[in-house]
Amino acid sequence: MPDIKRRTLLAGMVAMPAAACSELAETGPAGDLFDAAEDWHRSAHRTLASRQALAPEYAADERSPDIRGNGTLKVETAEYRAHEANGFADWRLSVGGLVDNPLSLSMADLRALPQRTQITRHDCVEGWSAIAEWSGPQLSALLDTAKVREGANFIVFRCADVLYGRDYYESVDMVDAYHPQTIIAHELNGAPLPEKNGAPLRMRIERQLGYKHAKYLTAIEAVASFDEIYGGKGGFWEDIGDYQWYAGI
Ligand SMILES: Nc1nc2c(c(=O)[nH]1)N[C@H]1C(S)=C(S)[C@@H](COP(=O)(O)O)O[C@H]1N2
Ligand SMILES: [Mo]
């Protein structure tokens, strides 16, 4: 993990060498300031720890009979149809942006990585939920191999579909990107993803609402900010103005 914890904790905090702190702490008013910084540090740490907590996982018999699809259910491009006809054997996932070692991974490459299988509940902001089993490599493994650079603050997910005339895309911060339950799923309930659920690859980001879980995944990009990306708000729904960027659950 490239020093995320440090970056997150220090964001917005004026760095002060520890020695200077303890010297200052001996004098009256600065002691209060030191205590305040300690409190801030502790509460920031609590917040980070709660964001890193696992989402609940369920037993096999708690799975929903059907996982409905939402948003795009069928990708209407000739390119996607050709991939589908070919069993997605030539689908590739690129990992780029602010990385030292850009990757282009085949489905076989992704299947060869250590896999995580998790039975989790999907919560759509529109008011429905479904429990299903998802499998795939952790995003953290890809990011570690790609070597994310120090200046990267977010991970952007690009997709193959167009919804309401716009390319679907989404993004998360580094806490969710490196969360152990953030995986690139290629299987749903033990079978390759159906098209309505994002074939051949989709994100599972279990501490976030459904719209963050980008389907039909083509590219992962480390970025410093969203300024240059579509509407600049970090996601399809965010650009439209419907939903908030942070969708933590
Ligand atoms: N590429 C893409 N990803 C997407 C969407 C979409 O339309 N296109 N819809 C989102 C929404 S709102 C939800 S609730 C989930 C739905 O996942 P499902 O279709 O597998 O149920 O995917 C999310 N990811
Ligand atoms: Mo959704």
Side-chain angles (χ1 to χ4, degrees):
M1 182 154 121
D3 231 1
I4 295 164
K5 197 166 155 188
R6 207 193 95 240
R7 271 212 304 274
T8 311
L9 290 175
L10 292 183
M13 184 180 174
V14 181
M16 209 191 262
C21 283
S22 50
E23 274 167 36
L24 283 173
E26 286 161 19
T27 72
D32 296 342
L33 207 137
F34 182 70
D35 289 346
E38 275 284 291
D39 285 350
W40 186 93
H41 188 278
R42 257 197 297 276
S43 80
H45 194 267
R46 259 201 304 277
T47 309
L48 181 65
S50 81
R51 292 223 28 225
Q52 288 171 329
L54 295 180
E57 296 195 15
Y58 298 82
D61 64 1
E62 291 176 288
R63 288 177 297 176
S64 307
D66 178 51
I67 305 302
R68 55 173 278 188
N70 210 37
T72 302
L73 304 178
K74 212 166 169 19
V75 184
E76 306 289 0
T77 67
E79 203 183 337
Y80 184 88
R81 301 278 39 116
H83 279 296
E84 202 254 336
N86 192 25
F88 298 104
D90 298 326
W91 190 270
R92 297 200 79 90
L93 175 67
S94 70
V95 183
L98 297 175
V99 299
D100 286 338
N101 182 27
L103 310 172
S104 170
L105 303 167
S106 67
M107 294 298 292
D109 292 335
L110 291 165
R111 281 193 214 98
L113 288 167
Q115 305 287 298
R116 190 178 205 284
T117 293
Q118 56 202 32
I119 301 179
T120 51
R121 195 183 71 197
H122 180 98
D123 292 307
C124 173
V125 70
E126 290 170 16
W128 59 272
S129 301
I131 295 175
E133 181 188 282
W134 305 95
S135 305
Q138 290 174 314
L139 176 58
S140 61
L142 272 60
L143 298 178
D144 286 345
T145 308
K147 298 201 189 325
V148 175
R149 290 191 191 144
E150 190 57 32
N153 297 313
F154 306 103
I155 300 296
V156 174
F157 307 109
R158 296 188 185 261
C159 307
D161 62 317
V162 174
L163 186 61
Y164 310 145
R166 294 162 174 258
D167 294 346
Y168 200 95
Y169 79 105
E170 261 305 334
S171 62
V172 293
D173 67 14
M174 293 302 183
V175 177
D176 277 307
Y178 284 88
H179 189 283
Q181 289 168 319
T182 296
I183 65 172
I184 296 143
H186 54 83
E187 280 186 5
L188 166 58
N189 293 328
L193 292 185
E195 182 167 352
K196 73 179 191 340
N197 303 110
L201 296 173
R202 65 100 47 87
M203 291 309 303
R204 291 301 309 170
I205 307 165
E206 304 296 355
R207 295 295 310 280
Q208 295 277 321
L209 286 170
Y211 60 90
K212 306 298 278 189
H213 303 217
K215 304 193 284 187
Y216 320 110
L217 190 67
T218 57
I220 289 170
E221 222 175 289
V223 301
S225 84
F226 306 131
D227 291 351
E228 308 291 309
I229 301 167
Y230 296 109
K233 299 227 170 66
F236 173 93
W237 299 105
E238 292 89 331
D239 284 345
I240 293 176
D242 277 5
Y243 307 137
Q244 300 289 316
W245 177 78
Y246 185 71
I249 48 176

